[in-house]
Structures are given as structure tokens and as C-alpha cells.
Amino acid sequence: MGLRARGTRGEQTGKLDPHYPKVCGHRGNVLDVKWNPFNDFEIASCSEDATIKLWDIPKQLLTKNLTAFRKELVGHARKVGLVEWHPTAANILFSSGYDYKVMVWNLDSKETVIMSPVKTINCHQDVILSMSFNTNGSLLATACKDRKIRVLDPRAGTVLQEANYKGHRASKVLFLGNLKKLLSTGTSRWNNRQMALWDQDDLSVPVTEVDLDGSSGVLFPFYDADTSMLYVVGKGDRNIHYYEISANKPHLNYLTEYHSYNPQKGIGVMPKRGLDVSSCEIFRFYKLITTKSLIEPVSMIVPRRSESYQEDIYPPTASAQPSLTAQEWLSGMNKEPVLMSLRPGAEPLSPQPLPSERTLSVPTAPTSPHLLNQTGRLLAEDGRGPFSLPEEKAPRWAAEHRLEEKKTWLTDGFDIFECPPPKTENELLQMFYRQQDEIRRLRELVTQREVQAKQLELEIRNLRMSSPRL
């Protein structure tokens, strides 16, 4: 396989001190927590007390219990089970409660307590079990306890598509990037755990169904659009299954699984921005292991020998910058996410215009695990990176050579010789990655110059042989 999982643990393991600082302010059990995708120090939480609260987490982390919330959203009549941030618009939050309602909240308000949402969606007949947005946030998919999957217009609150298929009881639903397909996990009519793939424009019957096993734990799907990989994690299971998603049949291609000895009660994931690109990490899970009072990180690693940045497995991904304001989205605008390169030190790729001398890695074709497998084999055979520059067989004295030589002093448009000294550990790590990348580029340039020098020596020797007077 071109992908392997690696389990890592911190220096300190085991149960935390019971007096360790906590975020505590709800009057009931907390049912869901989501980090703001555009603010690494803000979380939204919902509770059995029928409220949603927003919390500002200090950058130095907690030194005492945090009880003062930034905002409180009050509108649901019963407990609130799910919260979901909009993927492209800033300060837009969705919530669903046991009153069968989905509420849309505009957080661009000076009020500490917001009493009414900007929109209430009332089309569900039972508890909403799952919510998922498409890439630009123009569509919302829900899985409901009434056994129906719905695709909604989140601004108008209208149902665009509805699945009445009786052979699959969905508990989780997930948009698959820009493939215009939905994936749901649940149970079949024989109570086997099952996955179903749907066409988002036609939910009459699934495109395909895959039965897994007869266990009872809920299946949690996670899709990585950058690598077209689907990870399926079961509550109470000891493994994580991976699949490749393709636009062509059979659509769901089973790859392999990661197996451990400890069952997970819950699972979380690290955003792509937080991955360790130097070790070719493409996904990271955090397993909650209650039997050992432990949270264990599990990293998905593409084995590569090269230590340089691997552009083929890190296409531009969603950044921490919103592409719309709350009011723009509410007025009807749709925009794709602002993208960024995962190369250390890189800046968002759009919608800002790019400087002419900046070199950006934008792959021309989507990366699939099959490509990862092929690349892994190539690395094992010749030990060279998949995108290392070949040695030139003849000298070129064109203007682009001089431009390329000038570019080698830059890393992602950043002059390493005008860099201020790092002040934090993160800045020091980024500087290390920039220096490693610059060393690689300089080696490539030296290799090219050596080839040119040898070619010139051959040309001079040929001239001397053809002209004895010289």
C-alpha cells in the first residue's frame, strides 16, 4: 500500500487531573462542540439546556475554568444536538435541536444574547441526526430519524431532494466534495451496518450500497477531497477502513484498514492546515479510548523517502480565511473556499492576486490513492522524489534561466535572507522548512550548472580539435 497509519502518543498519557481547567457554562450536558474553521481560538457548543454558546479560547490556553461565554444563542424549545459552521461564510452557524428545527444564526451582532435566528427550517418530522454542507455551502444535506435524507436550500429552507428509499436507514450523511454525490452510513433492512452512495440530484435510489458487518456501533464517515479518500470509523470498533472515491463505477473502492487493540468511543480529526507535511501526513485522527482514559493520535502517512515538500499529495486546500461575509451569503452570494498551499510559509492562493515571482504548486489532475501507490513504488525503486528536476543535457542561455536563478532565492515568494528572526517555536519550525526547501532548490541549481559546465568543456574541446590554431 502507498498509505500507512501511524499511532503516536504524547509524553504524558493517562487521565487528566480532575482539577484541570475546563470550559464550563452550560446548565446541561454538552451534546456537540465545533471549532470555528476561520478562528482557531473560538468554539461553538450546544447542550441539553436548549442553548448554543460561543467561547473565546485564550491563546495561552486555559489556566482556570472558563465560564464566561462570548455569545449565547437562544431559540430552540428543546435540547440542541448538533452545531455546524458554514464552510465559506464568516459568522454563520447552523444548529439543530430535538424540536425538529434547523436554525441559521448570524453572529455578526454586538448582542451578547441572540434571541432569534435569521432563518428556521421546519421540514423535518423527527430528530436530525446529521448535517453536512457541500463545498461552497449552497446546499445542506440532513439525515433524520424519520429515515429520510434531504438536500435543502439553507437560505430558503426548501427541500430540493428527498430520499424515501426504505432499504437503507441513514444515521450520518456527508457531501463528497465537488463530485455531486452524497454518502450516508446507517443500517440495512436486515440491520447490517451499511454505506450508500447517492446522486445529489436524484435521491430516489442509491447509486451503490455496501454492507459492512452486523455490529451495532454508529459509523462516522470522513472524506478528504484532496486525495479522494473516504475513512469510515465505527463507534466501539478497533479499526478504521479506507476507501477511494471515484466518479466512475464502482465508485467505492476498498483499500485497506488500520487496526489497533483499543476500541474507540469517539473520534475527531485535525484540519488539513495542522498536518505534518514534512512526514507526508495526509490525515490525522484523535481516538477517544475510554478504557484507558486516553486520547490517541493516529496519523495517515504516505511513505516517501524524499524529505522535500510533496506537491502531488498536497493540492491546494481550504484555508482559514472566509470567502464571504455573513451578509453576502444571506443576500444570495456563493463562492468557493479560499484555497491555500500546505507548503510551510505559504499564503492563501485566492481570491487575492498572486505576485508574478511566486511559484505555486497547483496540480493539473486530482490525486488518487492509486497514484500514491505508484509514487511510493517509484520512490522505493530509484530513491528520487517524483517531481525532482531532471538534469539538462544541453546548456540553455535563455532569459528564463536568469529568472529561474532569481527565483531560487525565494521560497513561496519569501526572501529568506530578509527574514526577521523567529520569535516562537512555530516560526522557527517554518523557517527550518523554508531552509530545507531552499537547500533542495540550490542543489538542483548546482547540478544544472555542473551539467552546463561539462557541456561547455566538451564544446571547447571540440573547437580545439577542429581548429588546431586555437
Side-chain angles (χ1 to χ4, degrees):
M1 279 301 300
L3 179 69
R4 61 184 173 87
R6 180 184 69 184
T8 59
R9 301 186 182 185
E11 295 180 359
Q12 296 182 355
T13 61
K15 189 174 181 179
L16 284 174
D17 187 325
H19 301 292
Y20 192 84
K22 297 177 283 292
V23 178
C24 46
H26 284 286
R27 297 180 299 276
N29 292 329
V30 176
L31 301 181
D32 195 14
V33 177
K34 291 288 169 57
W35 288 91
N36 187 339
F38 309 122
N39 185 347
D40 291 340
F41 296 95
E42 182 180 26
I43 58 175
S45 62
C46 61
S47 168
E48 290 181 349
D49 63 11
T51 67
I52 303 109
K53 288 181 170 60
L54 302 180
W55 309 86
D56 286 332
I57 307 300
K59 293 188 177 181
Q60 68 273 15
L61 301 182
L62 298 180
T63 56
K64 61 180 180 179
N65 286 345
L66 180 61
T67 58
F69 53 83
R70 185 170 70 86
K71 285 185 185 295
E72 184 178 35
L73 314 180
V74 181
H76 286 280
R78 300 181 63 187
K79 58 185 179 181
V80 187
L82 296 172
V83 288
E84 199 72 44
W85 293 93
H86 193 275
T88 60
N91 294 319
I92 293 291
L93 183 71
F94 282 66
S95 64
S96 68
Y98 282 65
D99 51 7
Y100 311 158
K101 295 178 181 179
V102 176
M103 294 188 178
V104 187
W105 304 88
N106 181 3
L107 307 180
D108 270 345
S109 171
K110 296 182 180 179
E111 299 175 0
T112 303
V113 179
I114 302 176
M115 301 297 295
S116 57
V118 294
K119 183 68 181 179
T120 300
I121 302 173
N122 291 301
C123 61
H124 298 87
Q125 305 300 318
D126 210 325
V127 177
I128 297 98
L129 303 175
S130 176
M131 295 191 295
S132 176
F133 284 99
N134 65 343
T135 305
N136 64 8
S138 61
L139 297 174
L140 173 68
T142 63
C144 184
K145 203 172 180 181
D146 62 7
R147 302 195 179 191
K148 292 182 180 180
I149 297 173
R150 296 174 176 88
V151 175
L152 312 172
D153 181 334
R155 282 175 287 236
T158 56
V159 179
L160 305 178
Q161 291 288 329
E162 186 175 275
N164 291 310
Y165 185 70
K166 303 299 182 184
H168 176 77
R169 182 178 180 178
S171 58
K172 300 292 178 182
V173 66
L174 185 66
F175 267 104
L176 298 179
N178 288 320
L179 294 179
K180 293 189 175 181
K181 287 182 171 55
L182 293 168
L183 181 110
S184 63
T185 59
T187 55
S188 67
R189 64 183 66 190
W190 296 281
N191 283 332
N192 289 325
R193 291 200 298 187
Q194 187 183 65
M195 294 189 301
L197 192 69
W198 309 80
D199 183 344
Q200 74 177 34
D201 297 323
D202 181 11
L203 299 183
S204 56
V205 292
V207 175
T208 184
E209 295 174 273
V210 177
D211 284 353
L212 298 181
D213 52 42
S215 300
S216 59
V218 177
L219 293 173
F220 296 89
F222 299 92
Y223 180 63
D224 181 9
D226 298 340
T227 57
S228 300
M229 289 194 63
L230 172 73
Y231 303 89
V232 181
V233 185
K235 185 176 181 179
D237 292 1
R238 290 179 168 85
N239 49 18
I240 300 172
H241 297 272
Y242 344 135
Y243 297 81
E244 179 189 7
I245 302 291
S246 63
N248 303 318
K249 292 183 179 180
H251 302 297
L252 280 169
N253 301 295
Y254 176 73
L255 298 176
T256 185
E257 68 179 60
Y258 162 76
H259 186 81
S260 66
Y261 294 102
N262 299 311
Q264 60 258 2
K265 185 177 181 180
I267 198 102
V269 298
M270 169 66 74
K272 297 298 287 287
R273 297 179 287 110
L275 299 182
D276 181 9
V277 297
S278 64
S279 63
C280 298
E281 181 185 34
I282 61 171
F283 218 77
R284 187 191 305 166
F285 292 96
Y286 289 92
K287 289 178 50 176
L288 174 61
I289 304 172
T290 55
T291 56
K292 292 191 174 183
S293 301
L294 180 69
I295 294 177
E296 179 183 16
V298 178
S299 294
M300 300 298 167
I301 304 293
V302 178
R304 294 281 177 89
R305 288 187 178 180
S306 175
E307 296 181 358
S308 61
Y309 179 75
Q310 304 295 307
E311 297 180 1
D312 60 325
I313 61 176
Y314 296 116
T317 191
S319 70
Q321 178 178 328
S323 53
L324 291 168
T325 64
Q327 195 56 46
E328 286 174 339
W329 182 79
L330 291 171
S331 65
M333 291 181 63
N334 292 318
K335 282 187 180 180
E336 295 299 316
V338 177
L339 301 180
M340 65 174 291
S341 169
L342 292 181
R343 184 188 292 273
E347 297 178 357
L349 306 183
S350 64
Q352 296 88 351
L354 299 176
S356 58
E357 69 261 21
R358 180 176 298 164
T359 55
L360 297 174
S361 55
V362 182
T364 57
T367 304
S368 70
H370 292 318
L371 178 60
L372 301 185
N373 295 346
Q374 295 169 7
T375 309
R377 286 195 292 270
L378 287 174
L379 288 170
E381 290 170 1
D382 59 19
R384 291 176 56 186
F387 286 93
S388 59
L389 295 176
E391 295 182 352
E392 294 194 11
K393 297 182 180 179
R396 296 179 183 176
W397 303 107
E400 70 228 20
H401 240 340
R402 293 191 294 272
L403 179 60
E404 180 183 354
E405 184 176 3
K406 180 180 179 182
K407 283 182 180 180
T408 56
W409 302 110
L410 300 171
T411 300
D412 291 316
F414 182 82
D415 192 339
I416 63 169
F417 297 108
E418 296 181 0
C419 174
K423 298 179 180 179
T424 65
E425 182 178 353
N426 185 44
E427 290 180 358
L428 183 63
L429 188 60
Q430 290 183 359
M431 177 57 67
F432 170 76
Y433 290 142
R434 291 193 190 104
Q435 290 177 345
Q436 292 296 313
D437 191 46
E438 186 61 28
I439 290 172
R440 177 181 63 84
R441 294 186 184 186
L442 289 174
R443 284 175 177 171
E444 291 170 354
L445 183 62
V446 169
T447 301
Q448 293 173 12
R449 295 297 181 267
E450 289 177 352
V451 172
Q452 292 170 8
K454 291 180 181 178
Q455 187 66 27
L456 283 174
E457 289 177 0
L458 290 175
E459 290 179 1
I460 293 172
R461 186 181 302 173
N462 291 335
L463 286 172
R464 286 177 176 174
M465 293 179 63
S466 60
S467 301
R469 294 180 181 179
L470 296 176

